[in-house]
Amino acid sequence: MDSPTLFTKLANGLTVHLKEIHTAPLISHWVWYRVGSRNEVPGKTGLSHWVEHLQFKGTPRFPPSVLDKAISREGGVWNAFTYLDWTTYYETLPADRIGLALELEADRMINSVFDPAMVEAERTVILSELEGNENEPLFQLGRAVQQASFQHHPYRNEVIGNREDLLQITLEDLVQHYRQYYVPNNALIAIAGDFRLEEMLQRVREVYESLPAGEIPPRNIPVEPSPSGEKRLEVHGPGETAYIQVAYRALPAAHPDFAVLMVIDSLLSGPASLNMFGGGGISNKTSRLYRALVEKELAVGVGGGVQATIDPFLFEITITLPPVYHPDQTLRAFDEQIVRLMETPVTSKEIQRAIKQARALFAYGSENITNQAFWLGYAEMFDHYDWFVHYLDRLSQVTPMDVQRVAQQVLTPQGRVVGFYLPEGNLPGGAP
Amino acid sequence: MSLARPEILQTLPGPEDITRVELPNGIVVLVRSNFESASVTLSGYLPAGGLFDPPEKLGLAHFTALGLTRGTERHHFQQIFNLLESAGASLGFGASVYNINFGGRALAEDLPLLLSLLAECLRIPRFPQKPIERLRRQILTGIAIRDQDPADRAEMMFDEVLFPNHPFGKPTDGTRHTIARITREDLLAFHRHYFGPRGMTLVIVGAVSAEQVLEEVQRTLGDWQNPLQPAFPEIPAVAPLAQSVRSHIALPGKVQTELVMGTLGPSRLSPDFMPASLGNNILGQFGLMGRIGNVVREQEGLAYEASTSLNAWKDAGTWEVTAGVNPANLQRAIDLILAEIRRFIAEPVSWEELRDSQSHYLGRLPLSLESNAGVAHAILNLERFQLGLDYYKRYPALVESVTPEQILEVARRWLDPERFAIISAGPPME
């Protein structure tokens, strides 16, 4: 971490994070808005994601026919993502073309067009995206588990929204959401790449500082009660492959024990990474769950993950069952590993191993400018950039007793949801 | 005036920074150092792919490839993965029609480990019974999942229709019946008969010197020989469809229909490739997925994804349009796509469209060649298709020399809407 950085806030409240990197003639520009499905209310799920789609429908200065070609013409890539706590837009371009990203993002922060016909066309597109998701058994299972994991908190909703809401959201809803949250004081600009810090800051000021600040509505998140007991659910659908998903209430990313939870994830289901770009991960064949489930023929695959979020979300393990499956048996073997983690301290060697894995993944992620720009903004969405800078240090401070303590706190059976996807083409215990 | 900028050209891999050495046993080693990174990426192939699968044992090459890491004469499965995972490294194998492919990554300090394990898996795999049976179950589960995936099903039938009774039309991962038939002895025999250094290519990119790489490769793979290794067979010729083929695969319980339609396309070595590639970019890639994306998604709102792709191999290729649509919109999407194809072959693309795509092709080079993995992929293609180490220096001229008339000529040669394979998979049609 030796690249020069510059962090500041403009007069209109826009946060600016810059990092100078000269390994390739590229610059990656990210705009992060502190709005996601967490900011939605019942009856309006999917609003943030839909507004994101509409950001690609142009502004008076950048009509759609211009906007979609401008980035491609320069050989850049661009995309947008909406999640629980944030929405982000990025462009990675040859360094001498980054002005396009600056102008475009500053313009559509306040000037996006919400044409009624395009809004209706996009309703079909988003429903199509939802239907594509629904073709996947694991989406069906994940959605059901997520909904069952929260009573009130908007984290219970899939980011894309549910069909009933998507059918009734209005143009006015979309415009209002955009006006409320797409303001400079609710935004962060993160830029990494082949530039000089002071020069880039000047350019950012030129295009962004005149944008007017807005009043951000308070979001009173309903108080989510502690889980009151294990919940089990079944989802039935097409196919021949059964799955189990186990979800525990996780810790917010800013929590001092979050690094411990990442170590637990690595030990149970394999090396954990939060990189968005960086070309794949490390296999999990020596993880505890792989050895206990796959090697004992109780599963054909196992994976897991924890997300970095503002409020507690989920630590979830997904198990793919073999053609002839006995879900209760598999779940019992899974639970033996959870109990083992709670009752028997792990070795320091195992923790050192998780740290080396994290160091490798960190190095892989540093290989491209887009991922470095991603981190410049991402960590601010749930905590602070220092979270990222000191992540490996915090991992190196994790002790076997920490792992045991956090496992006892987070991985309680009373606090979890267990979901089963049972395929209509293959019943438990039987051959297909 | 050239669209390429000299300061960008000089960052691209070329003869001055790629080291290429052919070992006495036939292995070609290519190395490009990148000391800006902390890691090293390994990538390569050897000519032992699905082409050699017996018809009743489709998926044998793929099964063999996946089985390589299940145990060797020196380390069993858990030991191999403990060595890799403890280092934060990865190593994997797969198969395509032509090749056994492999890839790996590690911190630069762990390159010797990565190469030792690569050599060990390639040379002395054991295919132990228990891990192999477990792997079979995993492959069968993957096939069961694949067979319920509308996009996979449509793509498989598309290939089958375009390449009947041809290696390109068969699933390289096999079927549930053929995988069930494969024995451990088949894996051992496949390895014994087809694996060897001749025709093998190995690319290493990262924070390592060429000298270090060559020393390690020579140590681990330099003395490898296999007198049984056969010559690579000729790929059968393919003929275009005589007329359009329309087929729907019903998958009850699915919500969305996946559509794949298209024709044969030029091979990578064909002079048609670059005009077709730029034409494809205009048709269904550029911006928000080109003309096709503009009509099907942006104007009509029928699909979340609608785009085209040109898939070019050594001996053949395909030119495809794919889309995910609501079943009620399927026929409309097909009609819109065919209308767009007809327009595409009726008159040349505009110079503006072509200039935009040419700019895109040149502008995207720094991004695609930024990471070690991106560079390794590019270098592997230089060798696979014998494009020459200087290809990226010549690339601007190759791209800029294409004209709208050439694109039209090539599009007419390959895209005949009356001879399209049109395959959909999803909810049963009413």
Side-chain angles (χ1 to χ4, degrees):
Chain A
M1 297 293 303
D2 43 21
S3 303
T5 53
L6 188 161
F7 304 125
T8 190
K9 187 171 284 199
L10 304 191
N12 59 1
L14 178 67
T15 305
V16 180
H17 285 192
L18 307 177
K19 183 194 269 199
E20 201 174 302
I21 306 172
H22 297 287
T23 55
L26 296 165
I27 298 178
S28 189
H29 174 292
W30 291 66
V31 184
W32 293 82
Y33 294 98
R34 300 172 192 272
V35 61
S37 59
R38 180 176 181 271
N39 303 84
E40 292 160 8
V41 298
K44 308 288 184 192
T45 63
L47 203 45
S48 300
H49 174 250
W50 195 337
V51 167
E52 177 229 287
H53 270 229
L54 293 172
Q55 291 295 86
F56 292 87
K57 302 308 174 189
T59 66
R61 178 179 171 195
F62 291 102
S65 60
V66 170
L67 185 143
D68 67 343
K69 294 173 181 170
I71 300 284
S72 282
R73 183 181 302 117
E74 305 300 347
V77 292
W78 68 330
N79 208 335
F81 309 102
T82 306
Y83 195 51
L84 305 169
D85 300 321
W86 45 262
T87 304
T88 188
Y89 303 80
Y90 84 92
E91 295 84 21
T92 299
L93 283 153
D96 60 347
R97 299 290 200 256
I98 198 63
L100 177 59
L102 290 161
E103 300 281 349
L104 172 65
E105 292 298 351
D107 191 27
R108 66 181 180 178
M109 190 179 285
I110 61 174
N111 292 323
S112 275
V113 173
F114 285 72
D115 177 81
M118 284 190 174
V119 165
E120 286 311 309
E122 207 61 20
R123 195 189 303 268
T124 306
V125 168
I126 293 174
L127 287 169
S128 179
E129 182 180 355
L130 174 60
E131 286 159 4
N133 292 345
E134 288 173 338
N135 270 5
E136 301 289 337
L138 281 177
F139 175 86
Q140 303 265 10
L141 179 58
R143 178 170 59 180
V145 166
Q146 190 176 339
Q147 280 173 1
S149 297
F150 300 93
Q151 290 180 47
H152 307 301
H153 198 292
Y155 281 177
R156 72 190 311 272
N157 302 315
E158 272 288 340
V159 171
I160 194 171
N162 68 57
R163 181 182 310 279
E164 295 68 38
D165 293 354
L166 293 174
L167 287 170
Q168 73 183 8
I169 280 173
T170 67
L171 172 64
E172 289 70 31
D173 294 325
L174 294 157
V175 172
Q176 185 184 19
H177 200 70
Y178 171 70
R179 294 287 175 224
Q180 285 177 336
Y181 291 105
Y182 281 57
V183 291
N185 45 308
N186 194 42
L188 181 152
I189 302 293
I191 311 178
D194 191 18
F195 56 79
R196 299 293 166 193
L197 290 173
E198 292 297 337
E199 287 170 20
M200 180 56 71
L201 178 58
Q202 182 55 34
R203 296 181 74 181
V204 169
R205 284 193 195 284
E206 282 164 11
V207 299
Y208 281 106
E209 193 149 47
S210 61
L211 303 181
E215 187 174 328
I216 305 164
R219 178 66 173 110
N220 301 308
I221 307 296
V223 174
E224 181 67 26
S226 297
S228 57
E230 180 181 283
K231 292 178 185 170
R232 293 202 178 192
L233 59 88
E234 291 182 1
V235 176
H236 298 263
E240 293 179 8
T241 306
Y243 302 90
I244 301 176
Q245 195 168 84
V246 187
Y248 299 91
R249 186 73 58 82
L251 300 171
H255 194 289
D257 285 331
F258 187 81
V260 184
L261 190 53
M262 293 291 286
V263 169
I264 287 171
D265 183 22
S266 294
L267 296 174
L268 282 175
S269 60
S273 168
L274 298 170
N275 283 327
M276 184 177 279
F277 304 81
I282 298 166
S283 62
N284 70 348
K285 306 285 200 290
T286 59
S287 67
R288 292 185 173 202
L289 290 178
Y290 189 97
R291 303 198 69 171
L293 302 181
V294 179
E295 297 216 324
K296 301 296 194 289
E297 323 296 352
L298 294 167
V300 294
V302 61
V306 61
Q307 309 301 322
T309 52
I310 295 173
D311 298 323
F313 185 52
L314 300 175
F315 171 48
E316 140 264 312
I317 306 282
T318 301
I319 304 165
T320 306
L321 298 178
V324 179
Y325 63 96
H326 306 275
D328 287 345
Q329 219 175 304
T330 300
L331 189 60
R332 248 191 324 273
F334 170 89
D335 282 335
E336 284 167 14
Q337 293 306 311
I338 300 300
V339 169
R340 177 184 167 207
L341 210 52
M342 289 177 167
E343 295 183 353
T344 309
V346 304
T347 65
S348 292
K349 186 175 176 183
E350 284 177 282
I351 295 180
Q352 289 309 309
R353 193 170 181 273
I355 293 168
K356 170 137 189 188
Q357 289 167 344
R359 180 162 71 87
L361 288 165
F362 188 96
Y364 303 152
S366 297
E367 239 174 72
N368 68 84
I369 284 167
T370 306
N371 196 54
Q372 296 206 49
F374 160 76
W375 272 110
L376 217 45
Y378 178 46
E380 291 277 328
M381 294 299 107
F382 50 81
D383 190 19
H384 191 274
Y385 185 61
D386 282 350
W387 183 101
F388 171 73
V389 174
H390 301 304
Y391 177 68
L392 291 180
D393 291 338
R394 282 201 311 285
L395 277 188
S396 68
Q397 289 157 25
V398 173
T399 69
M401 297 313 297
D402 289 332
V403 171
Q404 190 175 32
R405 172 176 56 79
V406 173
Q408 289 168 1
Q409 174 193 341
V410 171
L411 304 180
T412 63
Q414 292 75 35
R416 73 182 185 185
V417 175
V418 182
F420 301 88
Y421 182 89
L422 302 176
E424 286 151 1
N426 180 21
L427 299 179
Chain B
M1 172 192 176
S2 174
L3 295 166
R5 300 188 284 280
E7 67 275 15
I8 289 192
L9 285 182
Q10 71 196 15
T11 70
L12 305 177
E16 61 283 350
D17 56 11
I18 301 173
T19 299
R20 182 185 187 277
V21 171
E22 188 165 339
L23 302 188
N25 63 355
I27 299 176
V28 170
V29 185
L30 298 111
V31 186
R32 187 184 197 237
S33 298
N34 174 17
F35 290 101
E36 299 275 4
S37 72
S39 72
V40 62
T41 292
L42 167 158
S43 191
Y45 58 79
L46 57 99
L51 193 71
F52 295 108
D53 289 351
E56 72 280 5
K57 295 188 175 176
L58 291 181
L60 176 53
H62 180 250
F63 200 160
T64 304
L66 296 184
L68 296 174
T69 52
R70 265 48 189 178
T72 68
E73 289 171 18
R74 256 176 235 148
H75 296 106
H76 59 59
F77 173 77
Q78 275 292 319
Q79 287 169 328
I80 290 170
F81 280 95
N82 191 48
L83 286 166
L84 288 168
E85 292 177 6
S86 294
S90 63
L91 177 66
F93 298 85
S96 62
V97 176
Y98 292 97
N99 296 317
I100 297 289
N101 303 300
F102 51 84
R105 189 166 61 163
L107 295 173
E109 69 211 45
D110 296 309
L111 175 67
L113 167 73
L114 196 59
L115 280 171
S116 290
L117 286 175
L118 172 72
E120 193 178 306
C121 291
L122 287 175
R123 298 180 66 172
I124 50 173
R126 269 194 58 243
F127 305 107
Q129 192 70 36
K130 242 176 187 292
I132 287 305
E133 289 312 309
R134 186 178 313 130
L135 177 58
R136 187 195 309 273
R137 268 188 293 278
Q138 290 170 357
I139 292 173
L140 287 172
T141 297
I143 286 173
I145 292 169
R146 176 199 75 187
D147 286 350
Q148 284 294 314
D149 185 273
D152 285 337
R153 290 293 297 277
E155 190 71 44
M156 284 168 65
M157 178 166 287
F158 178 81
D159 289 340
E160 204 177 316
V161 166
L162 283 191
F163 300 100
N165 303 308
H166 188 282
F168 291 168
K170 300 175 162 67
T172 51
D173 48 347
T175 72
R176 78 175 69 201
H177 304 294
T178 61
I179 293 298
R181 262 178 229 129
I182 292 171
T183 67
R184 177 171 179 260
E185 286 64 40
D186 292 326
L187 303 173
L188 288 164
F190 192 91
H191 173 264
R192 191 167 53 240
H193 197 74
Y194 295 110
F195 276 54
R198 195 177 348 112
M200 176 173 165
T201 298
L202 172 58
V203 175
I204 307 269
V205 178
V208 285
S209 68
E211 293 73 22
Q212 181 191 355
V213 169
L214 290 167
E215 183 183 326
E216 289 294 330
V217 173
Q218 181 62 41
R219 176 178 68 82
T220 53
L221 288 160
D223 63 343
W224 189 20
Q225 298 286 347
N226 181 2
L228 296 181
Q229 199 180 356
F232 204 78
E234 259 184 47
I235 303 287
V238 233
L241 294 177
Q243 60 191 17
S244 285
V245 172
R246 174 72 181 101
S247 192
H248 182 74
I249 301 159
L251 294 170
K254 294 300 173 177
V255 177
Q256 185 173 95
T257 297
E258 298 290 339
L259 172 66
V260 181
M261 52 196 287
T263 66
L264 296 180
S267 72
R268 182 63 183 84
L269 302 173
S270 163
D272 285 359
F273 173 78
M274 187 60 82
S277 180
L278 284 161
N280 176 66
N281 192 248
I282 293 164
L283 180 62
Q285 285 287 331
F286 185 81
L288 291 178
M289 301 306 154
R291 292 184 180 185
I292 295 280
N294 185 51
V295 168
V296 178
R297 170 175 168 157
E298 299 304 314
Q299 288 180 26
E300 302 289 333
L302 296 185
Y304 175 61
E305 291 279 354
S307 63
T308 64
S309 63
L310 193 73
N311 308 294
W313 311 296
K314 240 188 303 186
D315 301 276
T318 61
W319 201 334
E320 300 176 26
V321 187
T322 56
V325 299
N326 183 282
N329 295 329
L330 175 61
Q331 190 55 51
R332 178 158 175 69
I334 292 171
D335 294 342
L336 284 169
I337 289 165
L338 288 174
E340 208 52 45
I341 299 291
R342 290 193 172 95
R343 184 186 154 225
F344 190 66
I345 64 176
E347 58 195 27
V349 301
S350 70
W351 270 105
E352 183 189 9
E353 282 176 306
L354 176 53
R355 201 65 172 174
D356 279 351
S357 283
Q358 287 168 328
S359 290
H360 173 71
Y361 272 33
L362 300 181
R364 74 181 174 186
L365 288 174
L367 188 50
S368 58
L369 297 169
E370 179 193 14
S371 68
N372 289 339
V375 173
H377 176 77
I379 293 175
L380 204 56
N381 272 348
L382 299 185
E383 185 68 21
R384 190 198 313 271
F385 298 117
Q386 295 292 292
L387 301 174
L389 295 186
D390 64 341
Y391 178 74
Y392 286 106
K393 309 303 179 181
R394 293 183 286 112
Y395 187 72
L398 291 171
V399 168
E400 290 178 43
S401 67
V402 174
T403 66
E405 290 69 34
Q406 283 172 331
I407 292 175
L408 180 62
E409 180 189 343
V410 167
R412 284 176 172 168
R413 179 151 45 244
W414 294 99
L415 295 175
D416 181 349
E418 308 308 320
R419 301 186 189 203
F420 256 49
I422 304 174
I423 313 296
S424 55
M429 295 178 101
E430 292 147 14

